[in-house]
Amino acid sequence: MEANGLGSQGFPELKNDTFLRAAWGEDTDYTPVWCMRQAGRYLPEFRETRAAQDFFSTCRSPEACCELTLQPLRRFPLDAAIIFSDILVVPQALGMEVTMVPGKGPSFPEPLREERDLEHLRDPATVASELGYVFQAITLTRQQLAGRVPLIGFAGAPWTLMTYMVEGGSSSTMAQAKRWLYQRPQASHKLLRILTDALVPYLVGQVAAGAQALQLFESHAGHLGPQLFNKFALPYIRDVAKRVKARLQESGLAPVPMIIFAKDGHFALEELAQAGYEVVGLDWTVAPEKARERVGKTVTLQGNLDPCALYASEEEIGRLVQQMLNDFGPQRYIANLGHGLYPDMDPEHVGAFVDAVHRYSRLLRQN
């Protein structure tokens, strides 16, 4: 690091690298912790900031994204920040219209209905240039973080993005998207390739802008059984990691740890552990000791407290965290929830979770 306290990219020097060390599989003095959706509606200040404009306008404002990203760090001693954005900015950049309907979630007025609809999508090579606002938000946030903790960038994985583009929104069964997989396997692979080709430069662009780690969200893994997952999700998950890493190297950018979080993808744990990611995220349906047995010593695990455990008393949260940390063991582990925070959660209980992880993980290492 240069003497002026600025790192190689001109960003302030990192003061707390515990999260990055754990992600790379190095030993840490305590267990690092962050929460999926830590910048979310459970925070009154988030609701206040967001009230002014609609969801995707907020995503397109680097200043708003920076403020929302930093809010949870002002309240809690979290070990990482994750940029405020949304996985659906990628389908938007491919030319699809997406709106966020309050109380209902994302909506695509014109979802993909047949193979010929793929011709209307923009060239995936242009996607990164459409998403400059995300890169600006990352750079601004990296500066404002002043080296406090690392900044995580993210994207949705190809299958999860495909589900939204075909279903036109959320779905409990994903029947339309899965109909594509069974009836139009070629068109499905074509769409998944387009998405992969869009994601690679987008993720590399996030690192160039200042992201110090990357998480890929395969939120809808659970709708696929092992066969479909191995055919339509896993190859693209692997491809994203491989190509992002190669592209970073070609661009002369330092490698960053990559996290794969496949919600309800417990049937593919071994495959995910060998997919080229340093960290495998777990949801709360997976027993940590069993997961550790299955993935071996080569990856870091992240997770996996049931978010609803935060409805419990602070004492009970402490007990649950203690159990979780015992089960995962002290090293190669990043504490998190098994899914994002829900809007009606009490910030005090989020604080209790973070503090319990720090407190108990230090105790564990002493004994």
Side-chain angles (χ1 to χ4, degrees), residues 217-280:
F217 285 85
E218 188 69 282
S219 310
H220 297 160
H223 292 276
L224 302 173
Q227 287 84 2
L228 286 182
F229 187 83
N230 289 338
K231 201 166 160 189
F232 293 103
L234 189 63
Y236 300 99
I237 287 171
R238 281 196 189 117
D239 206 29
V240 167
K242 192 170 105 205
R243 288 170 57 187
V244 165
K245 288 177 177 195
R247 187 83 71 94
L248 287 175
Q249 206 173 359
E250 289 159 21
S251 313
L253 291 162
V256 300
M258 294 182 71
I259 308 164
I260 176 66
F261 175 59
K263 173 93 167 41
D264 298 317
H266 47 82
F267 51 79
L269 251 187
E270 290 85 350
E271 290 82 355
L272 290 165
Q274 291 165 18
Y277 293 76
E278 285 69 32
V279 183
V280 175

Side-chain angles (χ1 to χ4, degrees), residues 164-212:
Y164 283 106
M165 293 163 79
V166 172
E167 296 285 345
S170 304
S171 155
S172 57
T173 60
M174 302 295 157
Q176 293 311 313
K178 289 176 75 178
R179 178 196 286 259
W180 271 60
L181 303 184
Y182 284 111
Q183 290 187 351
R184 306 185 177 125
Q186 265 62 50
S188 297
H189 281 299
K190 186 177 169 185
L191 174 53
L192 293 161
R193 274 197 301 273
I194 291 169
L195 287 163
T196 304
D197 290 346
L199 286 168
V200 172
Y202 177 49
L203 288 166
V204 171
Q206 292 188 45
V207 176
Q212 291 153 291

Side-chain angles (χ1 to χ4, degrees), residues 68-323:
L68 293 167
T69 302
L70 296 176
Q71 282 175 352
L73 288 129
R74 295 190 192 119
R75 272 193 191 246
F76 316 117
L78 294 154
D79 293 290
I82 181 164
I83 194 67
F84 177 81
S85 186
D86 195 86
I87 65 171
L88 298 181
V89 298
V90 169
Q92 271 185 338
L94 284 167
M96 293 191 78
E97 192 191 334
V98 193
T99 56
M100 196 59 79
V101 183
K104 183 179 164 256
S107 173
F108 289 68
E110 293 181 44
L112 301 173
R113 283 287 170 244
E114 32 221 315
E115 181 167 6
R116 65 162 182 260
D117 294 341
L118 299 183
E119 292 158 25
H120 303 312
L121 296 176
R122 289 195 191 121
D123 175 358
T126 66
V127 161
S129 60
E130 294 283 329
L131 294 171
Y133 59 86
V134 178
F135 305 149
Q136 287 166 3
I138 287 172
T139 302
L140 180 62
T141 306
R142 224 357 243 285
Q143 285 157 350
Q144 297 283 315
L145 269 170
R148 230 174 103 178
V149 292
L151 178 61
I152 305 169
F154 73 91
W159 156 249
T160 293
L161 294 178
M162 173 179 169
T163 62
Y164 283 106
M165 293 163 79
V166 172
E167 296 285 345
S170 304
S171 155
S172 57
T173 60
M174 302 295 157
Q176 293 311 313
K178 289 176 75 178
R179 178 196 286 259
W180 271 60
L181 303 184
Y182 284 111
Q183 290 187 351
R184 306 185 177 125
Q186 265 62 50
S188 297
H189 281 299
K190 186 177 169 185
L191 174 53
L192 293 161
R193 274 197 301 273
I194 291 169
L195 287 163
T196 304
D197 290 346
L199 286 168
V200 172
Y202 177 49
L203 288 166
V204 171
Q206 292 188 45
V207 176
Q212 291 153 291
L214 295 170
Q215 177 153 317
L216 195 68
F217 285 85
E218 188 69 282
S219 310
H220 297 160
H223 292 276
L224 302 173
Q227 287 84 2
L228 286 182
F229 187 83
N230 289 338
K231 201 166 160 189
F232 293 103
L234 189 63
Y236 300 99
I237 287 171
R238 281 196 189 117
D239 206 29
V240 167
K242 192 170 105 205
R243 288 170 57 187
V244 165
K245 288 177 177 195
R247 187 83 71 94
L248 287 175
Q249 206 173 359
E250 289 159 21
S251 313
L253 291 162
V256 300
M258 294 182 71
I259 308 164
I260 176 66
F261 175 59
K263 173 93 167 41
D264 298 317
H266 47 82
F267 51 79
L269 251 187
E270 290 85 350
E271 290 82 355
L272 290 165
Q274 291 165 18
Y277 293 76
E278 285 69 32
V279 183
V280 175
L282 302 177
D283 62 62
W284 68 90
T285 65
V286 184
E289 320 93 299
K290 291 202 177 115
R292 188 70 81 182
E293 273 166 39
R294 288 172 59 190
V295 303
K297 293 269 187 283
T298 53
V299 294
T300 292
L301 291 174
Q302 174 177 280
N304 72 338
L305 191 74
D306 180 354
C308 293
L310 297 187
Y311 294 131
S313 69
E314 295 189 22
E315 294 74 26
E316 179 65 11
I317 290 168
R319 279 193 292 274
L320 293 165
V321 165
Q322 203 167 332
Q323 180 68 59

